[in-house]
mmCIF file of all heavy atoms in Angstrom:
data_model
loop_
_atom_site.group_PDB
_atom_site.id
_atom_site.type_symbol
_atom_site.label_atom_id
_atom_site.label_comp_id
_atom_site.label_asym_id
_atom_site.label_seq_id
_atom_site.Cartn_x
_atom_site.Cartn_y
_atom_site.Cartn_z
ATOM 1 N N LEU A 1 14.628 -3.870 2.061
ATOM 2 C CA LEU A 1 13.646 -3.180 1.226
ATOM 3 C C LEU A 1 12.367 -3.982 1.055
ATOM 4 O O LEU A 1 11.268 -3.472 1.284
ATOM 5 C CB LEU A 1 14.245 -2.816 -0.134
ATOM 6 C CG LEU A 1 13.332 -2.000 -1.045
ATOM 7 C CD1 LEU A 1 12.945 -0.686 -0.391
ATOM 8 C CD2 LEU A 1 14.023 -1.737 -2.372
ATOM 9 N N ALA A 2 12.476 -5.229 0.644
ATOM 10 C CA ALA A 2 11.284 -6.043 0.396
ATOM 11 C C ALA A 2 10.469 -6.228 1.666
ATOM 12 O O ALA A 2 9.244 -6.044 1.666
ATOM 13 C CB ALA A 2 11.680 -7.396 -0.191
ATOM 14 N N GLU A 3 11.138 -6.564 2.750
ATOM 15 C CA GLU A 3 10.430 -6.783 4.009
ATOM 16 C C GLU A 3 9.733 -5.506 4.488
ATOM 17 O O GLU A 3 8.580 -5.529 4.917
ATOM 18 C CB GLU A 3 11.393 -7.268 5.089
ATOM 19 C CG GLU A 3 10.724 -7.489 6.428
ATOM 20 C CD GLU A 3 11.710 -7.823 7.535
ATOM 21 O OE1 GLU A 3 12.911 -7.974 7.264
ATOM 22 O OE2 GLU A 3 11.252 -7.928 8.673
ATOM 23 N N SER A 4 10.432 -4.380 4.393
ATOM 24 C CA SER A 4 9.864 -3.110 4.843
ATOM 25 C C SER A 4 8.640 -2.732 4.012
ATOM 26 O O SER A 4 7.607 -2.331 4.560
ATOM 27 C CB SER A 4 10.913 -1.997 4.757
ATOM 28 O OG SER A 4 12.017 -2.302 5.576
ATOM 29 N N LEU A 5 8.761 -2.868 2.698
ATOM 30 C CA LEU A 5 7.632 -2.536 1.840
ATOM 31 C C LEU A 5 6.479 -3.509 2.066
ATOM 32 O O LEU A 5 5.316 -3.108 2.105
ATOM 33 C CB LEU A 5 8.062 -2.526 0.376
ATOM 34 C CG LEU A 5 7.011 -2.014 -0.612
ATOM 35 C CD1 LEU A 5 6.541 -0.610 -0.253
ATOM 36 C CD2 LEU A 5 7.551 -2.022 -2.029
ATOM 37 N N GLN A 6 6.785 -4.769 2.238
ATOM 38 C CA GLN A 6 5.734 -5.755 2.469
ATOM 39 C C GLN A 6 4.935 -5.404 3.733
ATOM 40 O O GLN A 6 3.704 -5.509 3.744
ATOM 41 C CB GLN A 6 6.319 -7.155 2.593
ATOM 42 C CG GLN A 6 5.243 -8.217 2.738
ATOM 43 C CD GLN A 6 5.806 -9.622 2.666
ATOM 44 O OE1 GLN A 6 6.992 -9.839 2.838
ATOM 45 N NE2 GLN A 6 4.953 -10.577 2.403
ATOM 46 N N LEU A 7 5.613 -4.965 4.774
ATOM 47 C CA LEU A 7 4.916 -4.565 6.001
ATOM 48 C C LEU A 7 3.946 -3.413 5.735
ATOM 49 O O LEU A 7 2.862 -3.363 6.306
ATOM 50 C CB LEU A 7 5.919 -4.177 7.086
ATOM 51 C CG LEU A 7 6.725 -5.318 7.693
ATOM 52 C CD1 LEU A 7 7.840 -4.778 8.578
ATOM 53 C CD2 LEU A 7 5.820 -6.262 8.463
ATOM 54 N N CYS A 8 4.337 -2.508 4.854
ATOM 55 C CA CYS A 8 3.476 -1.361 4.525
ATOM 56 C C CYS A 8 2.289 -1.765 3.651
ATOM 57 O O CYS A 8 1.272 -1.083 3.644
ATOM 58 C CB CYS A 8 4.284 -0.292 3.802
ATOM 59 S SG CYS A 8 5.561 0.444 4.820
ATOM 60 N N LEU A 9 2.438 -2.849 2.912
ATOM 61 C CA LEU A 9 1.398 -3.252 1.960
ATOM 62 C C LEU A 9 0.409 -4.261 2.542
ATOM 63 O O LEU A 9 -0.511 -4.691 1.849
ATOM 64 C CB LEU A 9 2.050 -3.854 0.710
ATOM 65 C CG LEU A 9 2.992 -2.929 -0.060
ATOM 66 C CD1 LEU A 9 3.604 -3.662 -1.238
ATOM 67 C CD2 LEU A 9 2.283 -1.676 -0.521
ATOM 68 N N LEU A 10 0.555 -4.617 3.801
ATOM 69 C CA LEU A 10 -0.315 -5.630 4.409
ATOM 70 C C LEU A 10 -1.729 -5.134 4.702
ATOM 71 O O LEU A 10 -2.654 -5.928 4.764
ATOM 72 C CB LEU A 10 0.315 -6.147 5.714
ATOM 73 C CG LEU A 10 1.529 -7.038 5.551
ATOM 74 C CD1 LEU A 10 2.141 -7.342 6.914
ATOM 75 C CD2 LEU A 10 1.177 -8.320 4.825
ATOM 76 N N ASP A 11 -1.892 -3.846 4.876
ATOM 77 C CA ASP A 11 -3.188 -3.287 5.274
ATOM 78 C C ASP A 11 -3.919 -2.687 4.065
ATOM 79 O O ASP A 11 -3.588 -1.590 3.624
ATOM 80 C CB ASP A 11 -2.964 -2.216 6.340
ATOM 81 C CG ASP A 11 -4.254 -1.633 6.876
ATOM 82 O OD1 ASP A 11 -5.345 -2.107 6.500
ATOM 83 O OD2 ASP A 11 -4.167 -0.701 7.700
ATOM 84 N N PRO A 12 -4.927 -3.401 3.525
ATOM 85 C CA PRO A 12 -5.633 -2.907 2.334
ATOM 86 C C PRO A 12 -6.317 -1.557 2.567
ATOM 87 O O PRO A 12 -6.377 -0.727 1.667
ATOM 88 C CB PRO A 12 -6.680 -3.989 2.043
ATOM 89 C CG PRO A 12 -6.309 -5.156 2.873
ATOM 90 C CD PRO A 12 -5.418 -4.695 3.972
ATOM 91 N N GLU A 13 -6.798 -1.326 3.768
ATOM 92 C CA GLU A 13 -7.475 -0.057 4.067
ATOM 93 C C GLU A 13 -6.489 1.113 3.967
ATOM 94 O O GLU A 13 -6.800 2.160 3.405
ATOM 95 C CB GLU A 13 -8.084 -0.117 5.467
ATOM 96 C CG GLU A 13 -8.935 1.078 5.816
ATOM 97 C CD GLU A 13 -9.569 0.924 7.184
ATOM 98 O OE1 GLU A 13 -10.173 -0.135 7.448
ATOM 99 O OE2 GLU A 13 -9.456 1.876 7.986
ATOM 100 N N SER A 14 -5.298 0.916 4.508
ATOM 101 C CA SER A 14 -4.266 1.947 4.426
ATOM 102 C C SER A 14 -3.851 2.180 2.980
ATOM 103 O O SER A 14 -3.643 3.323 2.560
ATOM 104 C CB SER A 14 -3.059 1.552 5.261
ATOM 105 O OG SER A 14 -2.035 2.507 5.127
ATOM 106 N N LEU A 15 -3.742 1.115 2.194
ATOM 107 C CA LEU A 15 -3.380 1.258 0.780
ATOM 108 C C LEU A 15 -4.415 2.104 0.039
ATOM 109 O O LEU A 15 -4.059 2.986 -0.740
ATOM 110 C CB LEU A 15 -3.267 -0.115 0.109
ATOM 111 C CG LEU A 15 -2.011 -0.909 0.425
ATOM 112 C CD1 LEU A 15 -2.111 -2.303 -0.167
ATOM 113 C CD2 LEU A 15 -0.784 -0.186 -0.087
ATOM 114 N N ARG A 16 -5.674 1.856 0.299
ATOM 115 C CA ARG A 16 -6.731 2.642 -0.358
ATOM 116 C C ARG A 16 -6.749 4.086 0.144
ATOM 117 O O ARG A 16 -7.167 4.981 -0.579
ATOM 118 C CB ARG A 16 -8.085 1.976 -0.155
ATOM 119 C CG ARG A 16 -8.269 0.717 -1.007
ATOM 120 C CD ARG A 16 -9.699 0.207 -0.989
ATOM 121 N NE ARG A 16 -10.147 -0.198 0.337
ATOM 122 C CZ ARG A 16 -9.913 -1.389 0.895
ATOM 123 N NH1 ARG A 16 -9.229 -2.298 0.225
ATOM 124 N NH2 ARG A 16 -10.359 -1.670 2.097
ATOM 125 N N GLU A 17 -6.291 4.289 1.359
ATOM 126 C CA GLU A 17 -6.214 5.640 1.910
ATOM 127 C C GLU A 17 -5.120 6.459 1.203
ATOM 128 O O GLU A 17 -5.262 7.649 1.004
ATOM 129 C CB GLU A 17 -5.914 5.558 3.411
ATOM 130 C CG GLU A 17 -5.697 6.870 4.099
ATOM 131 C CD GLU A 17 -5.217 6.692 5.542
ATOM 132 O OE1 GLU A 17 -5.585 5.692 6.185
ATOM 133 O OE2 GLU A 17 -4.454 7.558 6.014
ATOM 134 N N TRP A 18 -4.042 5.801 0.793
ATOM 135 C CA TRP A 18 -2.891 6.480 0.202
ATOM 136 C C TRP A 18 -2.847 6.430 -1.324
ATOM 137 O O TRP A 18 -2.233 7.296 -1.944
ATOM 138 C CB TRP A 18 -1.595 5.887 0.752
ATOM 139 C CG TRP A 18 -1.278 6.381 2.122
ATOM 140 C CD1 TRP A 18 -1.660 5.824 3.307
ATOM 141 C CD2 TRP A 18 -0.530 7.547 2.452
ATOM 142 N NE1 TRP A 18 -1.182 6.575 4.344
ATOM 143 C CE2 TRP A 18 -0.486 7.629 3.856
ATOM 144 C CE3 TRP A 18 0.113 8.523 1.697
ATOM 145 C CZ2 TRP A 18 0.176 8.666 4.521
ATOM 146 C CZ3 TRP A 18 0.780 9.549 2.355
ATOM 147 C CH2 TRP A 18 0.799 9.613 3.756
ATOM 148 N N TYR A 19 -3.462 5.401 -1.930
ATOM 149 C CA TYR A 19 -3.324 5.206 -3.381
ATOM 150 C C TYR A 19 -4.678 5.113 -4.067
ATOM 151 O O TYR A 19 -5.634 4.571 -3.516
ATOM 152 C CB TYR A 19 -2.530 3.917 -3.677
ATOM 153 C CG TYR A 19 -1.062 4.047 -3.372
ATOM 154 C CD1 TYR A 19 -0.540 3.643 -2.141
ATOM 155 C CD2 TYR A 19 -0.179 4.592 -4.309
ATOM 156 C CE1 TYR A 19 0.813 3.781 -1.856
ATOM 157 C CE2 TYR A 19 1.166 4.737 -4.033
ATOM 158 C CZ TYR A 19 1.654 4.328 -2.803
ATOM 159 O OH TYR A 19 2.985 4.473 -2.530
ATOM 160 N N TYR A 20 -4.710 5.641 -5.302
ATOM 161 C CA TYR A 20 -5.887 5.491 -6.154
ATOM 162 C C TYR A 20 -5.887 4.093 -6.775
ATOM 163 O O TYR A 20 -4.914 3.354 -6.677
ATOM 164 C CB TYR A 20 -5.889 6.553 -7.265
ATOM 165 C CG TYR A 20 -6.136 7.955 -6.758
ATOM 166 C CD1 TYR A 20 -5.116 8.899 -6.757
ATOM 167 C CD2 TYR A 20 -7.383 8.339 -6.282
ATOM 168 C CE1 TYR A 20 -5.324 10.193 -6.309
ATOM 169 C CE2 TYR A 20 -7.611 9.642 -5.824
ATOM 170 C CZ TYR A 20 -6.577 10.555 -5.844
ATOM 171 O OH TYR A 20 -6.790 11.830 -5.382
ATOM 172 N N ALA A 21 -6.966 3.766 -7.455
ATOM 173 C CA ALA A 21 -7.220 2.402 -7.939
ATOM 174 C C ALA A 21 -6.195 1.878 -8.943
ATOM 175 O O ALA A 21 -6.004 0.665 -9.040
ATOM 176 C CB ALA A 21 -8.617 2.329 -8.546
ATOM 177 N N ARG A 22 -5.523 2.739 -9.679
ATOM 178 C CA ARG A 22 -4.574 2.262 -10.691
ATOM 179 C C ARG A 22 -3.240 1.816 -10.112
ATOM 180 O O ARG A 22 -2.409 1.257 -10.820
ATOM 181 C CB ARG A 22 -4.315 3.346 -11.733
ATOM 182 C CG ARG A 22 -5.509 3.647 -12.615
ATOM 183 C CD ARG A 22 -5.198 4.651 -13.698
ATOM 184 N NE ARG A 22 -4.401 5.776 -13.208
ATOM 185 C CZ ARG A 22 -3.507 6.437 -13.931
ATOM 186 N NH1 ARG A 22 -3.285 6.121 -15.172
ATOM 187 N NH2 ARG A 22 -2.830 7.439 -13.410
ATOM 188 N N SER A 23 -3.010 2.060 -8.834
ATOM 189 C CA SER A 23 -1.739 1.678 -8.220
ATOM 190 C C SER A 23 -1.545 0.165 -8.280
ATOM 191 O O SER A 23 -2.446 -0.599 -7.927
ATOM 192 C CB SER A 23 -1.694 2.126 -6.765
ATOM 193 O OG SER A 23 -0.560 1.556 -6.125
ATOM 194 N N PRO A 24 -0.370 -0.291 -8.696
ATOM 195 C CA PRO A 24 -0.117 -1.740 -8.720
ATOM 196 C C PRO A 24 -0.136 -2.349 -7.319
ATOM 197 O O PRO A 24 -0.337 -3.550 -7.171
ATOM 198 C CB PRO A 24 1.262 -1.860 -9.368
ATOM 199 C CG PRO A 24 1.859 -0.514 -9.318
ATOM 200 C CD PRO A 24 0.758 0.477 -9.213
ATOM 201 N N PHE A 25 0.026 -1.542 -6.297
ATOM 202 C CA PHE A 25 -0.009 -2.067 -4.932
ATOM 203 C C PHE A 25 -1.399 -2.554 -4.536
ATOM 204 O O PHE A 25 -1.541 -3.360 -3.629
ATOM 205 C CB PHE A 25 0.455 -1.014 -3.930
ATOM 206 C CG PHE A 25 1.882 -0.605 -4.105
ATOM 207 C CD1 PHE A 25 2.247 0.729 -4.014
ATOM 208 C CD2 PHE A 25 2.886 -1.533 -4.366
ATOM 209 C CE1 PHE A 25 3.565 1.121 -4.171
ATOM 210 C CE2 PHE A 25 4.203 -1.154 -4.536
ATOM 211 C CZ PHE A 25 4.548 0.182 -4.431
#
């Protein structure tokens, strides 16, 4: 779980594409 999620959270551009500013990610 941690490794898989960490791989998804590495790209800040993708995070901003999927989440609004209040997301803890």
Side-chain angles (χ1 to χ4, degrees):
L1 184 59
E3 179 186 355
S4 300
L5 188 57
Q6 184 172 18
L7 289 170
C8 295
L9 300 178
L10 288 174
D11 183 5
E13 186 177 310
S14 177
L15 284 173
R16 286 190 297 277
E17 175 188 329
W18 282 90
Y19 287 94
Y20 290 110
R22 292 184 317 148
S23 170
F25 296 138

